[in-house]
Amino acid sequence: MIVATVALTTGVAIAYVATADPVYEAETDVIIFPAPVSDQNLINLPLIRASSDPTRDVETASRLITNAEVAAQVKSDLDSPLSTEELLADVTAEPVAQSNIVTVTAQASTPEQAQALANGFARAAIEERTRALHEYIDDTLPGIQAQLDENPDPSLQAAVAQLRVLRESDDPTMRVQTPASLPTSPVSPRKKLSIIAGLLAGLILGVIAAFALQILDPRLRREEQLRRLYRLPILARIPRESGRHASSPLNPRGLSPAAAEAYRTLRGTLAASTRRSPDRQSTAILVTGSSPAEGKTTTAISLATALAASGQKVILIEADLRRPSISRTLGVRANHGVVSALLESTAIEDALITTDAYGPKLGMLLADHEGGWITELFALPSARQLIDEARSLADYVIIDSPPLTDVIDALPLASYVDDVLLVVRLNRTRLPKLARLGELLAENGIRPVGFAVVGTPRPTRSDYHYYDTTGNGREQGGGRRLFRRPTTKTS
């Protein structure tokens, strides 16, 4: 998530840098000399007057520079095709802190336009203020001159002289101090800064998105999550099968060579990890998970066939009576099965079936009824007796259990077996449900033997030579039939 977000934002930044029009910026400094309040002759003139707050005087001058009248004058002087509103959008006038200077900043698509715009606004503002001052003097000077002719007062003479001097000069309170120079490089886009900003933005957004994804979609994404949350080993990694529907169990004969090898690995790691009781010659393993469609039934079938192929006597018991699927997956049909053995006193030897496809060493006790009240059968004492009888007939008893967090039917079986194998699927198993399954097993004193992780990345092409592609890597098992009265119907 983080890498993808960083790549996306960096790509956007690069595209922006490559396609954005360059923007040049020029600055003109205008110095302000507010008229003193003590000069009575200047009181009524349209000049910037000094106040008790010098900062306010400079702010007033800033607003006088960027107004509609000044923009109209600039449009006329530069013969600009832009409207006065567009010109005002490209120009700012900001006071320089703790000074009497206003900086006029203009932006344009070329250096020449930016320079002309900054100087044009500063010059037009002074001209606009000067024009207003001259108009005021032209209106008031004749009246003062008439008063002076009637009464030659020295103060009137000084006022007339001062007004005549102001009439011949520009506004004394505003002057260009530093004209704008020609920009040498654009201020936007800044290539390095934009790309670095894209990288940082992607990193920040990626981290936020990763945490949000973890909260909103708390699925198992990496094996490290299992190692961090549970002190259980990963016994096998089963690669994902392309083109297969995740909710349907897979027939072992249709597995890829890599998947078949992974189940042989599971066979070996389980043999080394199982806790067989000293007084027992067989091992019972319950295969379960936290949710449906995680590969639980496929793992149970494939583990059972792998054990049988190695010469072990194996009984596969279908304990998922709500959604039985082994018969359909293997193409077999059971006239007698789990329910018959539990309720009808059918001998387990008579209920087991074998197939030519998987040899006589794999016996299957399948679901002969589905749903309803029969899902509670595993709470009966006869369920333990069923497993004990299966132990006496085989080296391994593999039980395909429903997900215990969704249904509690097969939980009693977890206490009857030697080990519990948890099946999880990358990008599908939800960590909260897996945590609830762990709590459920811990409350009943059950510690799983480990995880089988389904959906790991497929091996690279260079790894294919390790697998027997001529027969999906299947081992051949043989020997006499080990279960009395077998049924041998195949699809």
Side-chain angles (χ1 to χ4, degrees):
M1 176 64 70
I2 295 174
V3 171
T5 306
V6 169
L8 177 61
T9 56
T10 304
V12 171
I14 294 174
Y16 164 72
V17 168
T19 59
D21 295 329
V23 176
Y24 293 87
E25 189 175 271
E27 293 182 349
T28 299
D29 289 338
V30 177
I31 190 167
I32 308 302
F33 300 100
V37 180
S38 58
D39 192 341
Q40 297 297 318
N41 295 328
L42 303 179
I43 290 179
N44 296 322
L45 296 180
L47 300 172
I48 299 175
R49 307 287 296 180
S51 66
S52 58
D53 184 4
T55 303
R56 186 173 63 183
D57 302 337
V58 183
E59 290 176 352
T60 300
S62 300
R63 288 192 289 269
L64 293 174
I65 294 174
T66 53
N67 58 40
E69 291 79 7
V70 173
Q73 181 63 41
V74 172
K75 177 178 174 62
S76 176
D77 294 343
L78 301 181
D79 194 20
S80 174
L82 301 178
S83 65
T84 56
E85 290 79 8
E86 291 172 330
L87 290 174
L88 287 172
D90 293 337
V91 177
T92 60
E94 297 291 339
V96 178
Q98 305 299 321
S99 72
N100 61 337
I101 296 176
V102 175
T103 298
V104 181
T105 305
Q107 293 183 341
S109 58
T110 65
E112 295 78 12
Q113 291 177 354
Q115 182 187 36
L117 202 57
N119 289 331
F121 262 83
R123 183 176 59 253
I126 295 174
E127 291 175 356
E128 181 67 24
R129 298 301 302 166
T130 299
R131 182 166 49 252
L133 175 63
H134 290 175
E135 288 177 356
Y136 183 84
I137 293 175
D138 291 342
D139 291 340
T140 58
L141 185 58
I144 298 176
Q145 183 64 50
Q147 294 179 16
L148 180 60
D149 293 340
E150 295 178 358
N151 180 18
D153 187 348
S155 62
L156 291 177
Q157 290 179 350
V160 169
Q162 188 175 23
L163 289 175
R164 291 188 185 279
V165 172
L166 291 174
R167 181 63 179 80
E168 300 301 325
S169 62
D170 294 336
D171 185 338
T173 60
M174 188 179 295
R175 187 180 69 201
V176 174
Q177 183 182 29
T178 307
S181 58
L182 192 68
T184 58
S185 61
V187 296
S188 175
R190 297 180 178 177
K191 297 182 179 180
K192 292 183 179 180
L193 184 60
S194 297
I195 295 175
I196 292 174
L199 287 169
L200 293 177
L203 183 61
I204 295 172
L205 293 176
V207 171
I208 294 174
F211 277 105
L213 182 63
Q214 183 67 19
I215 294 173
L216 299 176
D217 184 23
R219 300 185 184 185
L220 177 64
R221 302 292 182 182
R222 302 173 308 280
E223 292 182 11
E224 289 75 9
Q225 293 172 287
L226 290 178
R227 297 191 184 97
R228 185 172 65 250
L229 296 174
Y230 305 98
R231 295 181 179 179
L232 295 175
I234 295 176
L235 302 178
R237 297 168 177 84
I238 294 90
R240 55 178 175 268
E241 298 283 86
S242 61
R244 303 295 181 89
H245 196 276
S247 62
S248 301
L250 303 180
N251 189 307
R253 298 177 67 86
L255 293 175
S256 66
E261 180 65 25
Y263 284 115
R264 287 196 292 271
T265 300
L266 177 61
R267 177 190 66 194
T269 54
L270 271 175
S273 304
T274 50
R275 300 183 293 271
R276 179 180 293 181
S277 301
D279 58 338
R280 292 176 176 173
Q281 298 302 314
S282 63
T283 301
I285 301 173
L286 182 78
V287 181
T288 189
S290 60
S291 299
E294 293 181 344
K296 170 185 59 63
T297 300
T298 299
T299 298
I301 298 173
S302 299
L303 175 61
T305 57
L307 287 167
S310 67
Q312 303 290 333
K313 294 178 288 184
V314 183
I315 293 179
L316 174 62
I317 299 178
E318 186 169 32
D320 191 348
L321 301 182
R322 293 178 181 267
R323 296 175 59 184
S325 56
I326 294 180
S327 297
R328 182 176 64 256
T329 301
L330 299 182
V332 297
R333 182 172 59 86
N335 295 322
H336 301 284
V338 174
V339 177
S340 299
L342 290 175
L343 291 182
E344 300 174 5
S345 300
T346 300
I348 188 172
E349 300 96 324
D350 297 333
L352 288 174
I353 63 172
T354 61
T355 65
D356 293 335
Y358 300 105
K361 292 189 177 182
L362 174 61
M364 291 173 281
L365 185 64
L366 304 180
D368 49 345
H369 291 83
E370 180 177 348
W373 59 270
I374 61 172
T375 59
E376 304 292 336
L377 291 180
F378 295 115
L380 300 176
S382 56
R384 178 189 287 273
Q385 183 180 356
L386 176 69
I387 294 177
D388 290 339
E389 291 180 2
R391 287 177 186 272
S392 65
L393 296 174
D395 299 312
Y396 283 90
V397 178
I398 306 300
I399 303 173
D400 177 30
S401 163
L404 297 181
T405 51
D406 288 346
V407 292
I408 206 71
D409 305 338
L411 182 60
L413 296 179
S415 61
Y416 302 157
V417 299
D418 298 293
D419 287 301
V420 174
L421 174 65
L422 301 181
V423 179
V424 296
R425 182 184 289 273
L426 293 180
N427 301 318
R428 187 175 185 91
T429 297
R430 293 185 175 273
L431 293 174
K433 294 194 70 173
L434 186 61
R436 289 198 296 272
L437 175 59
E439 293 172 358
L440 179 64
L441 295 176
E443 290 171 358
N444 290 271
I446 301 168
R447 179 179 174 81
V449 66
F451 290 105
V453 181
V454 179
T456 59
R458 303 180 68 188
T460 60
R461 186 176 298 274
S462 61
D463 295 327
Y464 285 166
H465 68 279
Y466 286 105
Y467 308 115
D468 175 15
T469 58
T470 61
N472 280 344
R474 293 190 299 273
E475 301 165 80
Q476 299 300 321
R480 60 186 179 84
R481 294 189 180 276
L482 303 177
F483 306 106
R484 188 166 58 84
R485 296 172 58 189
T487 301
T488 58
K489 183 171 182 177
T490 62
S491 60

